[in-house]
Amino acid sequence: MLVRRALVLTSLLTLAACDGGSGGGLDAGRDAAAPSDAGADSGRCTEFTPEYCPREYPMAPIPIGEVCQAFVDAYCRANGLCCSDDARVYPSFAACVSDQTVRCEDRERGYELTELLAAGAVSYNQAAAGNQFARLATMGDMCVPIRYGDAILGIYRGLRATGDACVRAVECASANCASGRCAPAPLRFDPCTSHDDCASAGLRCAPGGCDFRLAEGAACADDDECESRACRAGECVAASPDATYCASSMGSGPAFE
């Protein structure tokens, strides 16, 4: 069983590494992703909890108004299948879906950008979204750490040019919105007021400006300070199923933050 999982995971990660060169960059044209047996192994797959049972993920297009429905479902399966701390697993799949959908659809930091699409600030490819979902949901079933919010934002393409007014980085072709205007990608030591000002270059906002993210073992205040995007008990730790899929006191988890 472990050997089969390793082979499937290796294949998935190899495909993920090849995304950048294909049209749209998201595996267009491949067959549906292979099902995982994580649910059966976890003991959570029963006739009363079919939502945790193995499934396939066809690469069906995802309309923009159904993005959260799809990716929240994937996160909540992983919360039940992959989190080893029962105290941080939602009491039911439905409870997880209800809470995480609110987070995913939040108007300030949410991921269904229907208004920005209507305003011509972003483009969205339904087929690319379906391909991305099929691949990542399969990997999530195998407990590979995935920040689904980041993955969703990667589907959109910002259409605003440098100097155009913006509210969120996703609107900008440069993926950087600074002081209400689309700006070039930040450089190290550029001034910043939040991690969002530095994120498009893979940096964090430090006291001296944008700077490299911190290595494992370094003191941290939040996930975005760490290379692993996982800060626990004030220390950067390796990305892991628990760090990614366990919800804190029936709260956030890093999926849609």
Side-chain angles (χ1 to χ4, degrees):
M1 183 72 71
L2 292 176
V3 172
R4 186 167 73 86
R5 277 191 182 182
L7 290 173
V8 174
L9 178 55
T10 299
S11 298
L12 286 166
L13 293 176
T14 300
L15 287 168
C18 296
D19 280 351
S22 60
L26 295 172
D27 303 337
R30 289 196 289 115
D31 293 333
S36 163
D37 59 358
D41 289 351
S42 74
R44 293 185 180 274
C45 171
T46 72
E47 62 180 308
F48 304 106
T49 56
E51 58 270 17
Y52 295 121
C53 293
R55 66 172 67 171
E56 293 186 357
Y57 295 99
M59 291 185 176
I62 300 177
I64 192 169
E66 297 176 13
V67 167
C68 284
Q69 176 184 333
F71 282 90
V72 165
D73 178 270
Y75 171 79
C76 289
R77 277 175 60 79
N79 174 254
L81 296 174
C82 305
C83 176
S84 66
D85 182 354
D86 287 344
R88 293 190 291 161
V89 175
Y90 281 89
S92 70
F93 182 81
C96 178
V97 168
S98 176
D99 182 57
Q100 294 293 332
T101 297
V102 170
R103 300 173 189 281
C104 185
E105 294 179 348
D106 178 76
R107 291 183 64 85
E108 296 296 322
R109 295 184 62 89
Y111 301 94
E112 282 187 0
L113 308 183
T114 52
E115 293 178 5
L116 292 181
L117 182 67
V122 300
S123 65
Y124 174 81
N125 186 312
Q126 294 188 28
N131 293 347
Q132 179 80 306
F133 170 74
R135 177 168 57 86
L136 295 183
T138 301
M139 294 170 70
D141 278 3
M142 300 175 74
C143 301
V144 176
I146 298 166
R147 294 176 66 100
Y148 286 110
D150 291 350
I152 294 170
L153 290 181
I155 299 168
Y156 296 101
R157 294 291 177 265
L159 300 178
R160 301 201 190 281
T162 298
D164 288 351
C166 58
V167 176
R168 298 183 58 179
V170 69
E171 301 174 53
C172 303
S174 63
N176 185 33
C177 179
S179 301
R181 296 283 174 182
C182 291
L187 301 174
R188 191 182 182 197
F189 303 131
D190 278 358
C192 59
T193 58
S194 74
H195 294 310
D196 289 344
D197 295 336
C198 309
S200 62
L203 303 173
R204 65 186 173 101
C205 185
C210 294
D211 206 348
F212 297 126
R213 287 177 174 150
L214 302 170
E216 291 174 32
C220 58
D222 57 63
D223 289 348
D224 288 331
E225 289 192 303
C226 304
E227 290 178 354
S228 64
R229 308 294 296 283
C231 177
R232 297 294 178 270
E235 180 177 311
C236 290
V237 299
S240 67
D242 278 359
T244 305
Y245 297 120
C246 291
S248 176
S249 300
M250 295 305 99
S252 61
F256 303 105
E257 292 294 297

